[in-house]
Amino acid sequence: MKINVNGEGREVASGTLDKVLDELGYGGARVATAVNETFVPAAVRGQTELSDGDRLEIVAPRQGG
């Protein structure tokens, strides 16, 4: 399925948000996620189904000052 990840078109095989994060290399990373501009808490990523054309934003915390 084709989705948009952080503004870039990507082809993914997985159907749920948690599996897509694994597929994209974010498996154990602490990140914030939003699908189609709606925040998705980590606790419900396994139940969050993605569809063709969805827009996924992945934000990782940064350190520094």
Side-chain angles (χ1 to χ4, degrees):
M1 123 178 77
K2 187 157 178 95
I3 63 173
N4 189 299
V5 179
N6 293 345
E8 177 183 316
R10 299 288 299 262
E11 188 72 35
V12 295
S14 305
T16 58
L17 179 53
D18 63 338
K19 300 265 193 254
V20 167
L21 289 173
D22 286 342
E23 186 177 335
L24 295 174
Y26 291 96
R30 296 181 60 86
V31 295
T33 56
V35 176
N36 300 325
E37 289 84 39
T38 301
F39 173 72
V40 180
V44 297
R45 290 177 185 160
Q47 295 90 45
T48 303
E49 295 285 334
L50 297 177
S51 301
D52 250 353
D54 278 349
R55 295 175 311 281
L56 170 60
E57 293 293 325
I58 304 168
V59 181
R62 296 182 64 170
Q63 290 183 318

